[in-house]
Every structure is written in structure tokens, then in C-alpha cells.
Amino acid sequence: CFGDCSFCPLTFHQGRIVTARSHESLVEEAEAMVADPEFKGYISDVGGPTANFRAPACAKQLKAGACTDRRCLGTEPCRALRADHRDYVGLLRELRKLPGVKKVFIRSGIRFDYVLADPDPNQTFLRELVEHHVSGQLRVAPEHVSDQVLAAMGKPPREVYDRFCAAFDDLNREAGKKQFVVHYLMSSHPGSNLREAVELAEYVRDMGFHTEQETDF
């Protein structure tokens, strides 16, 4: 995963250079699932640790490996980042059209700033995500709302997440759907003091959430 968040072990366990399974491999597995008499027509998740990463972050990673002095995303995308969802969209379309498949969901977290970095003017991935791949709730991990804490986390500013949520809501209205974002938030991360903790608590309150599970650093 090239998200490289400060608190996440994926980068250390699996590295930063994405190696994706082929369409053929995934379609073959889906066909085997369809052939199972207990299959109900629903593929619960298609994606990796970060669902919408299907290729290395940039061409340089294939030649020289991951950079040691910068993040691919971080508080803002690297200028060399190649944000492109076309391969992922193509895969999801292949799986959707298989006979016997009713729905293909994306339940792994998506990196919302990578979605917004995609230059596609039609927002094809986000549009098809809304229309076909959300089971009522989309899990997304802004992790915090204080820009000071987000910078320490290696995450983009709150304004970026707000833009993503606004785009998600707009496309839901266009599609005539009532679907919601489930926010993953974390307390007590380094960089957070009482002021930032109160800011996060007020955000949760103002959104009308009643938390059932908590992640404390």
C-alpha cells in the first residue's frame, strides 16, 4: 500500500509497491464462487488493503523502488503520482456482468484523496462506486479532523475529505440513492492534545453519530 500512513503497519508488512492480481485470476475465482450451490449472488469485496490501488504509484517505483524521502500521497499527492482508476473500473465491470452475480461490493477502505486526484472529468470510478458497489454504507478512513493531527498521520487536510463527502452525496442524489459514509476516526494519535480531541468530539457530535466502537492510538 503506498498510502504510507504513519500509524499503519501495511507499509512495513507488505511494502509500498502494489502488485495486483490479474483480471483473469479474479474472474476465474468469481466463476468458481458462482458455481458453488450456496452462492447467493453477492461478492462481498473486491480490492486490496486499500481497495482502489491497482498499480504502482508511479513509473519510477518499477525502476528504482519506493522513494525514501517522500510519501506518494501524504498531506498532498506527489507530483509523480499516477492516479488512474480505469483498470479497477474495468475489472469491476467484468465481474458485474458475470451470469449469476447480482452485486459486487467494495468493503475495503478506499483512499478518498486518491479518488479526488484522478483527473477523469466524469468521475467514472466514484459514479460507478455509488451506482453499483456500495451496500448502503461506504467505509472511509479520514482518521481525524484536525489538520495538525492529520499532518502527523500522513493524511490530507480535512478540506479534502469534506470535498470527497460532498461529491459522494451529490452523486447519490443524482442516482436517487440513500447511501452514507461511515467514518473511521482515531483518538490520541501523536500530535493530538486536548484542543484536537475536543475538535474531533465536536465533529462526531455535529454529524449526529453515536459511536459503537472506538480506535484509540
Side-chain angles (χ1 to χ4, degrees):
C1 177
F2 54 78
D4 200 20
C5 302
S6 301
F7 52 83
C8 183
L10 285 175
T11 296
F12 300 99
H13 291 172
Q14 301 180 8
R16 288 171 56 191
I17 302 176
V18 173
T19 303
R21 288 175 60 186
S22 69
H23 288 212
E24 293 77 14
S25 171
L26 288 160
V27 168
E28 183 179 347
E29 182 173 346
E31 289 173 337
M33 292 168 64
V34 171
D36 189 319
E38 295 188 8
F39 181 67
K40 305 300 182 185
Y42 300 96
I43 296 177
S44 63
D45 193 17
V46 176
T50 298
N52 54 327
F53 292 173
R54 280 280 302 169
C58 67
K60 180 183 175 183
Q61 282 193 341
L62 293 174
K63 296 179 181 179
C67 295
T68 59
D69 61 342
R70 69 188 68 181
R71 285 184 162 109
C72 303
L73 282 165
T75 53
E76 62 182 29
C78 173
R79 286 178 294 177
L81 178 72
R82 186 170 52 192
D84 188 343
H85 289 83
R86 286 175 293 180
D87 179 70
Y88 193 31
V89 168
L91 170 63
L92 294 167
R93 288 173 177 173
E94 286 184 59
L95 294 173
R96 288 204 312 261
K97 71 181 182 182
L98 288 176
V101 173
K102 297 176 183 177
K103 282 285 186 181
V104 177
F105 295 121
I106 299 173
R107 298 190 191 277
S108 302
I110 64 168
R111 185 81 186 217
F112 56 89
D113 48 343
Y114 186 73
V115 173
L116 295 182
D118 190 327
D120 176 13
N122 298 317
Q123 297 181 297
T124 304
F125 170 70
L126 188 55
R127 191 174 299 276
E128 296 201 11
L129 173 71
V130 166
E131 292 177 357
H132 301 290
H133 302 293
V134 178
S135 178
Q137 297 178 332
L138 177 68
R139 296 170 177 83
V140 186
E143 303 295 0
H144 213 281
V145 296
S146 162
D147 287 351
Q148 173 179 313
V149 181
L150 290 166
M153 290 176 159
K155 302 285 283 188
R158 174 178 170 175
E159 176 270 332
V160 177
Y161 185 63
D162 289 342
R163 280 197 288 120
F164 172 82
C165 290
F168 181 80
D169 289 343
D170 287 346
L171 290 173
N172 271 284
R173 279 191 291 270
E174 283 185 27
K177 292 178 176 287
K178 289 187 177 181
Q179 300 179 138
F180 306 94
V181 172
V182 175
H183 316 258
Y184 284 171
L185 299 163
M186 183 187 301
S187 59
S188 302
H189 190 276
S192 175
N193 57 26
L194 183 58
R195 181 181 61 191
E196 283 72 34
V198 170
E199 185 179 356
L200 179 61
E202 289 177 336
Y203 175 82
V204 173
R205 178 202 64 197
D206 293 345
M207 293 294 287
F209 294 156
H210 299 278
T211 57
E212 297 178 353
Q213 295 178 319
E214 300 169 11
T215 302
D216 192 67
F217 183 82

